[in-house]
Amino acid sequence: MRFIVRCKPGEYAERRERVAIVGAGPAGLYAAGYLRCRGFNVTVYDRNPEPGGFLIFGVLEIHINKERVRKGIEELRSIGVEFRQNTVVGRDILLGDLIEGYDAVLLATGTWKSRRLNVPGSDLKGVLPAMEWIVDYHMWRYGYRSEKPPVGRRVVVVGGGLTAVDAVHVAKWLGAEEVHLVYRRTRSYAPAGERGFREAEEAGAIIHELVTPVEYIGSGGKVTAVKLQKMQLVEQPGAKRPRPVPIPGEYVTLEADMVLEAIGLIPTPPFNGGDYGIRLREDGTIDVDEYKRTTREPVFAAGDVVHGASLIGPAMKSGLEAAEAIEKYLNGEIRWRNS
Ligand SMILES: Cc1cc2nc3c(=O)[nH]c(=O)nc-3n(C[C@H](O)[C@H](O)[C@H](O)COP(=O)(O)OP(=O)(O)OC[C@H]3O[C@@H](n4cnc5c(N)ncnc54)[C@H](O)[C@@H]3O)c2cc1C
């Protein structure tokens, strides 16, 4: 996978300006490739032991060739992109220090927190956020952690997106005997699409549509079952998908010794809301303008932390657009926004 696009290494003269990129996922990597290739000094800060973001620690090997991702990252290193791994911006180094020390900063920290259902019983042992569990799986798989993530005998995965169907595959690979995928709409409206659900079924999952957990039941502090509310779909004028609403009094219960919640991901900017004068939108994404400028000079932002959890393609495109804007800014072709 190549992260150097729209220019050839060595084609441009070395520049003295320094750019810090926070987050080594597809948005940060494509921006790094573009900017380094245009002669800028580029340093990428990332919390993980290896660059790649969800390309390495989220997306499964059955969907992406990790060796090609690693080769692309090696190519970035070979043209002089500097990677500072195991560095959490906001903890190990402050964003304020990057703003002081660099000519431009790009935030591309993605959505590294799972949304939770918070139904009664959510604190029972065995109820886990699916994305963090998949990241743990990859940390173990690539030798960064010695403990294999726990897996139940009967696993219930909650959700209809890519993380949900991937959790099904990982649960099976780790040895779960039975995996149930529960989704509140029908598969035709699922973000993972018919294909994702078909692949989950082929992996052995039992699919339950039009249900949502309302309670996790436990014994001795451990989850033993999931109480599911039956739902029906109600058309909403102007909306893309119908709304799932509960059918009063109709429930089913599924036995489970593990629950993986995959109901959405939350943007994770590397600072507390409101700090540095960087405005967040109501949904927690970073507010940027058409040049990916935040409300604080010289901080730009791109990728899922700007547009919410999405796909590799939109994250790459957003990173490239931000890199082009940073180049224009450092060339003096665009000024800072008025906000
Ligand atoms: C399980 C799963 C499966 C997926 N499958 C697919 C798929 O099959 N196809 C597809 O197109 N998309 C898939 N996606 C979505 C896709 O991976 C993301 O949309 C994309 O990676 C987002 O890119 P990004 O660069 O914005 O952020 P990310 O890839 O999330 O990278 C963000 C980086 O920022 C770092 N970071 C975060 N906070 C800090 C901090 N404070 N300091 C330093 N570093 C920080 C993280 O370590 C990470 O490396 C999947 C996502 C998940 C979770």
Side-chain angles (χ1 to χ4, degrees), residues 22-29 45-48 50-60 63-64 84-85 87-91 108-112 130-131 134-135 138 162-164 166-167 265 268-271 302-316:
V22 188
L29 293 175
Y45 292 83
D46 192 274
R47 66 184 305 156
N48 286 332
E50 180 182 343
F54 282 148
L55 295 180
I56 292 290
F57 294 104
V59 187
L60 303 186
H63 295 133
I64 197 167
R84 302 232 177 121
Q85 297 303 134
T87 308
V88 177
V89 173
R91 187 191 71 189
T109 46
T111 52
W112 278 65
M131 182 274 287
I134 291 173
V135 169
H138 286 118
L162 293 173
T163 305
D166 283 0
L265 300 175
T268 45
F271 56 87
D304 284 6
V305 75
V306 166
H307 50 232
S310 68
L311 294 167
I312 299 164
M316 282 161 37

Side-chain angles (χ1 to χ4, degrees), residues 267-289:
T268 45
F271 56 87
N272 290 321
D275 283 3
Y276 306 106
I278 300 175
R279 194 164 59 222
L280 300 181
R281 302 187 191 104
E282 230 169 67
D283 62 1
T285 54
I286 300 177
D287 184 22
V288 297
D289 67 3

Side-chain angles (χ1 to χ4, degrees), residues 1 3 23-27 29-30 46-74 76-77 83 85-86 112 131-145 166 170 173 311-312 315:
M1 196 166 188
F3 301 110
L29 293 175
Y30 274 84
D46 192 274
R47 66 184 305 156
N48 286 332
E50 180 182 343
F54 282 148
L55 295 180
I56 292 290
F57 294 104
V59 187
L60 303 186
E61 277 163 334
I62 51 171
H63 295 133
I64 197 167
N65 183 328
K66 306 263 171 150
E67 283 322 302
R68 284 180 56 197
V69 174
R70 292 190 168 111
K71 263 177 108 172
I73 290 163
E74 274 320 301
L76 288 180
R77 280 205 173 93
F83 286 93
Q85 297 303 134
N86 294 309
W112 278 65
M131 182 274 287
E132 285 83 344
W133 181 79
I134 291 173
V135 169
D136 280 352
Y137 162 77
H138 286 118
M139 289 282 177
W140 165 75
R141 172 126 177 75
Y142 302 135
Y144 297 115
R145 209 161 279 173
D166 283 0
V170 176
W173 295 338
L311 294 167
I312 299 164

Side-chain angles (χ1 to χ4, degrees), residues 64-312:
I64 197 167
N65 183 328
K66 306 263 171 150
E67 283 322 302
R68 284 180 56 197
V69 174
R70 292 190 168 111
K71 263 177 108 172
I73 290 163
E74 274 320 301
E75 189 184 20
L76 288 180
R77 280 205 173 93
S78 75
I79 63 163
V81 173
E82 193 191 329
F83 286 93
R84 302 232 177 121
Q85 297 303 134
N86 294 309
T87 308
V88 177
V89 173
R91 187 191 71 189
D92 303 324
I93 182 167
L94 296 180
L95 178 57
D97 297 331
L98 301 183
I99 295 173
E100 285 296 307
Y102 289 84
D103 298 289
V105 178
L106 173 64
L107 307 179
T109 46
T111 52
W112 278 65
K113 197 170 179 341
S114 286
R115 191 174 300 143
R116 303 303 304 269
L117 267 178
N118 293 323
V119 296
S122 291
D123 53 353
L124 288 167
K125 201 162 171 252
V127 179
L128 297 172
M131 182 274 287
E132 285 83 344
W133 181 79
I134 291 173
V135 169
D136 280 352
Y137 162 77
H138 286 118
M139 289 282 177
W140 165 75
R141 172 126 177 75
Y142 302 135
Y144 297 115
R145 209 161 279 173
S146 52
E147 329 83 69
K148 198 170 169 172
V151 72
R153 202 176 60 76
R154 272 176 74 101
V155 178
V156 170
V157 178
V158 185
L162 293 173
T163 305
V165 297
D166 283 0
V168 165
H169 290 287
V170 176
K172 278 286 177 187
W173 295 338
L174 289 174
E177 282 169 28
E178 230 176 74
V179 182
H180 297 261
L181 179 60
V182 304
Y183 180 50
R184 63 192 182 138
R185 292 189 172 89
T186 54
R187 65 177 76 194
S188 51
Y189 295 109
E194 297 270 3
R195 186 169 152 210
F197 271 60
R198 200 172 49 246
E199 283 177 6
E201 253 169 350
E202 283 163 9
I206 301 156
I207 314 269
H208 307 259
E209 292 163 285
L210 294 169
V211 282
T212 192
V214 284
E215 185 182 352
Y216 300 129
I217 299 156
S219 164
K222 232 192 139 307
V223 68
T224 54
V226 182
K227 183 176 177 186
L228 298 165
Q229 163 81 65
K230 289 194 185 176
M231 311 292 278
Q232 60 190 337
L233 295 181
V234 175
E235 290 300 331
Q236 306 181 89
K240 275 195 209 139
R241 298 189 296 176
R243 196 159 57 95
V245 293
I247 306 174
E250 295 221 16
Y251 301 98
V252 279
T253 302
L254 270 181
E255 274 180 38
D257 54 5
M258 184 177 204
V259 177
L260 295 167
E261 289 184 347
I263 57 157
L265 300 175
I266 299 170
T268 45
F271 56 87
N272 290 321
D275 283 3
Y276 306 106
I278 300 175
R279 194 164 59 222
L280 300 181
R281 302 187 191 104
E282 230 169 67
D283 62 1
T285 54
I286 300 177
D287 184 22
V288 297
D289 67 3
E290 73 274 24
Y291 287 113
K292 304 277 188 282
R293 293 174 294 196
T294 68
T295 46
R296 169 72 189 257
E297 186 172 9
V299 183
F300 295 74
D304 284 6
V305 75
V306 166
H307 50 232
S310 68
L311 294 167
I312 299 164

